[in-house]
Structures are given as structure tokens and as C-alpha cells.
Amino acid sequence: MWLNDLVKNSNHKTPIISLTVRPKDGGKKDISQLISHRLISLTLTDSRGFEADQLDLTLDDSDGLLDLPPRAAVLSLGFGWKSESIVYKGEYTVDEVEHSGSPDIVTIRARSADMRGSLLEHKERSFHKKTIKKIVEQIAGENKLTPMVGKSFSNQIIEHIDQSGESSINLLSRMAKEYDAIATVKNGNLLFIETGQGKTASGQVLPEIYITRNQGDQHRYAIAEGENYKAVRAYYHDIKTGKREQVYFDANTKIEKTRKSQKLKQTKPAITDSDNIKTIRHTYKSKQAAKNAVIREFKKLGRGTATFSLSLAQGNPELMPELPVKVVGFKKEIDVNKWIIRQVTHNISADSGYTTGIECELKGE
């Protein structure tokens, strides 16, 4: 579908959209041309983690001839620019349909088609002495998904974890939080990868996106010095001694990974100023769990000290969460940082053409 009216503010480039609908009972239909003169706005929010990606469509029905899509219909979406390749953006299941007026318009809200089915079913089971990779592969197999696990988690053994009256999505989310990972479903793949590293599940470095200020429309940079701790401390219960012990992590802590655990060693004297140490309130059941917690929290603090958001005047359909970004032409404090995209919002409308908004955090080191 060529949206010839959507050229305003797009440097005379024309957005192009491909959209098909597949009702629950089957029968795929291409509706790109059907909505070519009805599109008021299209917004796609692409998130990382198990927060479902969302597609919002607003269509003109002033002539009353537009059919309402059935709930649970699947929309298959792609878009880009005329004379360039269309980028496939996945499938979305219709959750909400609204008709309002006058003038009459139809509003459709759809969410990731992958985030449904048995992934949401509550289960009662346990995993004992299994690697993260094996757990992810089992859940992926149960849901007809392809498992993709980051190299750093392939041999990471979980001593014991219970799935008690909770969904597989919730279980994977807990595991992801414990190991500072991203667990999500994208285009039929169940991903479990390290957060903020700009790498694929196989460990390959994702290409860095280069953005200059003249490509942007609006931006916002914020730094939170209040959370700029220099170290993290966590406590655990030592079952051998019965005592409450602690583990500690700062910039001088070296991580030595083994097949079953991680060792933490100080290369320089530890920071002792309590104002610069963040203490995790929860007392962990094991030393390894406490180690995982301080590593995760320290990385999270590093990523969260600064945030950067930008609206691109000319949309880029290739942008997605976890892509590394280099920006140029802003303040030196912004340009010098390495950024990772955490959320992307694509918007195509009659008013502003095709724009892309990105929200970034500092790349994990």
C-alpha cells in the first residue's frame, strides 16, 4: 500500500504498509489496498521482555462501508518506504475493536500473537539441577516455539526452581530478573538473552545504529545522580554456619565464571563509604543467589543512571529493542555514551507521515 498522502514532513518519501488479516477460522486476506485511503494513524510499540508489543490502528469509516475485524483475528504487519524493502514486524492478535463517531472511525488494538496460548497457563512443577538452556528449550517445545538462549546462560545451572501455580511467562520473567536477562517471544522464537549487551542469542554483536541530531525532531536526556551508587551489597543465610553473611560488588570486582557458579574477587580495596553502597533488603537463601543479585543490580544501576529518548523525523523500520546506538551532534555528555534501545514506537499518520521514537538506556559494560 502506498500512502501517497503521507508525504508531509517525510523529506518527500512515501511510507508503504503491508497488512493482512487472518480470521480465527482461517482464510488470509490482504487488506493493504482496502485501508490505503482510510488510514488515520498506525502506531506500533515494540518492547523488550514479556510486555506484549502493541499495534493500534485508527481508520476512517465516514462512508460506513468498513467491516469490523473479528476479535482474535491475526494481523500480519510490515512497513517501510516506497522504493525500499518492507520490513516484516510480526503478527498481532486483535484484542479490542471500537467504532465511534461522528465522523465515524474504527479503532483496532492488537497485541503480539506469540504472547498467548499455553504460555499463560498455570502449571505445578519443579526444575532441579537443570541449565537455563534446558528449561527454556522445554518451555519452547511445549509452546511450539524455537528456543534461542544467550551463550552466557547455556551452561548456567539452576539448582532448584518451582513453578507453583504460575504461568511459564511468569516463571521465565523471574529467571530473567534473577540473571539480568531478557526473556521474550519474537516471531515464533523464545528468547533468553543478556540485557543491554547489544548481542544476539548466539553472541553476535548487533550492528550499531548511527544517528545525527539533524535526523531527530525532539530529544530528552536525563541523568539520575541519586541512583549513582558505587557498589552493591546483598545478604544471604549460610546454612553451614547459621549466620547471615554478605557478598559485595563494585567496579573493582572481577567475575570468574565456572560451569556451576561465579566467583567474585576484589582487584582493589573495596569501597567502604556507606553512602555509596546500595544494600539489597532481601536476604537470599544461598551465596550464589546473593552473587547473582549484586551482579544484576550493579549492571542495572549502571544502565539506569542516564536515559535518552529521541523522535526521528524520518522513521526507520529497522529499529528494534536491544540495538546499540551512537548519537552525534548533541551535548558531549550525550554523544560520549554508548546507548541501547529499550523501546521503539513507530507511528504513521496523515498529519506527520512516518516517524519513529526510541527510548534508550546506557549500554551495559
Side-chain angles (χ1 to χ4, degrees):
M1 177 185 73
W2 293 356
L3 303 175
N4 295 311
D5 296 330
L6 303 184
V7 180
K8 185 180 178 183
N9 297 328
S10 297
N11 293 334
H12 306 292
K13 294 179 69 176
T14 303
I16 182 171
I17 297 174
S18 171
L19 188 66
T20 64
V21 60
R22 186 177 73 248
K24 196 173 183 179
D25 56 0
K28 194 173 184 178
K29 181 180 180 182
D30 190 330
I31 59 172
S32 304
Q33 292 295 332
L34 179 65
I35 67 169
S36 60
H37 301 294
R38 296 182 180 274
L39 185 69
I40 297 172
S41 68
L42 178 155
T43 301
L44 176 65
T45 304
D46 190 0
S47 305
R48 69 185 183 192
F50 279 122
E51 181 183 351
D53 299 338
Q54 183 170 302
L55 171 64
D56 291 285
L57 282 168
T58 304
L59 304 172
D60 177 15
D61 188 37
S62 55
D63 59 5
L65 300 177
L66 188 62
D67 292 331
L68 299 181
R71 285 195 62 191
V74 175
L75 302 176
S76 183
L77 175 69
F79 51 73
W81 294 101
K82 183 180 176 181
S83 302
E84 298 177 13
S85 298
I86 291 179
V87 178
Y88 176 66
K89 306 305 290 187
E91 293 188 334
Y92 303 86
T93 302
V94 175
D95 274 349
E96 303 172 31
V97 179
E98 178 183 299
H99 190 276
S100 61
S102 55
D104 287 5
I105 61 172
V106 173
T107 304
I108 301 167
R109 175 163 293 172
R111 295 180 174 87
S112 306
D114 291 324
M115 307 294 264
R116 290 173 164 265
S118 58
L119 273 173
L120 299 174
E121 294 177 1
H122 289 198
K123 294 182 180 293
E124 294 283 348
R125 59 181 171 181
S126 297
F127 299 93
H128 188 66
K129 291 189 180 298
K130 280 197 170 187
T131 63
I132 290 176
K133 184 178 181 180
K134 289 293 184 183
I135 296 173
V136 173
E137 285 177 343
Q138 181 175 332
I139 294 173
E142 294 167 350
N143 294 277
K144 298 180 180 179
L145 299 170
T146 301
M148 299 185 71
V149 180
K151 280 189 174 181
S152 59
F153 302 119
S154 293
N155 297 319
Q156 179 69 57
I157 294 175
I158 294 181
E159 290 297 319
H160 186 87
I161 190 168
D162 295 315
Q163 184 177 356
S164 181
E166 66 177 337
S167 67
S168 294
I169 281 181
N170 196 67
L171 173 70
L172 291 168
S173 295
R174 284 201 291 122
M175 289 168 52
K177 183 178 180 181
E178 178 74 19
Y179 291 92
D180 193 33
I182 296 171
T184 189
V185 179
K186 297 285 186 182
N187 299 328
N189 300 309
L190 178 56
L191 303 175
F192 197 98
I193 58 177
E194 195 170 354
T195 302
Q197 297 300 305
K199 295 181 180 180
T200 65
S202 63
Q204 292 183 319
V205 177
L206 290 168
E208 186 175 60
I209 302 297
Y210 189 82
I211 298 175
T212 60
R213 181 159 187 175
N214 62 6
Q215 292 176 273
D217 187 6
Q218 295 180 324
H219 76 277
R220 183 178 183 274
Y221 168 76
I223 186 165
E225 288 294 342
E227 286 291 305
N228 199 11
Y229 293 99
K230 306 299 183 185
V232 179
R233 173 171 52 210
Y235 292 95
Y236 68 96
H237 181 71
D238 191 325
I239 57 175
K240 292 182 179 178
T241 64
K243 295 181 179 179
R244 188 172 181 247
E245 305 287 355
Q246 72 172 26
V247 293
Y248 179 93
F249 196 95
D250 65 11
N252 300 318
T253 306
K254 183 180 179 182
I255 304 173
E256 294 182 351
K257 292 186 178 182
T258 65
R259 185 176 182 274
K260 293 186 177 181
S261 63
Q262 300 178 101
K263 293 182 179 180
L264 306 182
K265 290 187 176 182
Q266 290 298 121
T267 58
K268 293 181 181 179
I271 294 170
T272 57
D273 185 350
S274 60
D275 289 339
N276 289 325
I277 302 173
K278 179 169 184 176
T279 300
I280 300 175
R281 293 181 180 180
H282 178 72
T283 299
Y284 293 88
K285 293 181 180 180
S286 69
K287 186 175 183 179
Q288 187 57 52
K291 287 179 185 178
N292 292 338
V294 293
I295 294 171
R296 178 189 73 239
E297 191 63 28
F298 191 78
K299 289 181 179 179
K300 190 184 296 182
L301 287 173
R303 294 194 303 269
T305 53
T307 58
F308 180 68
S309 60
L310 178 69
S311 176
L312 296 175
Q314 183 172 295
N316 184 345
E318 299 283 355
L319 295 183
M320 62 182 183
E322 284 302 292
L323 276 179
V325 173
K326 173 66 176 176
V327 298
V328 177
F330 299 88
K331 293 289 186 182
K332 64 179 181 179
E333 292 85 355
I334 303 174
D335 292 355
V336 74
N337 285 317
K338 296 180 179 179
W339 299 99
I340 287 282
I341 298 176
R342 67 183 183 191
Q343 187 177 78
V344 181
T345 303
H346 299 280
N347 184 267
I348 299 174
S349 73
D351 293 329
S352 56
Y354 172 28
T355 61
T356 300
I358 58 173
E359 294 182 13
C360 304
E361 65 185 16
L362 293 176
K363 183 179 179 182
E365 298 292 343

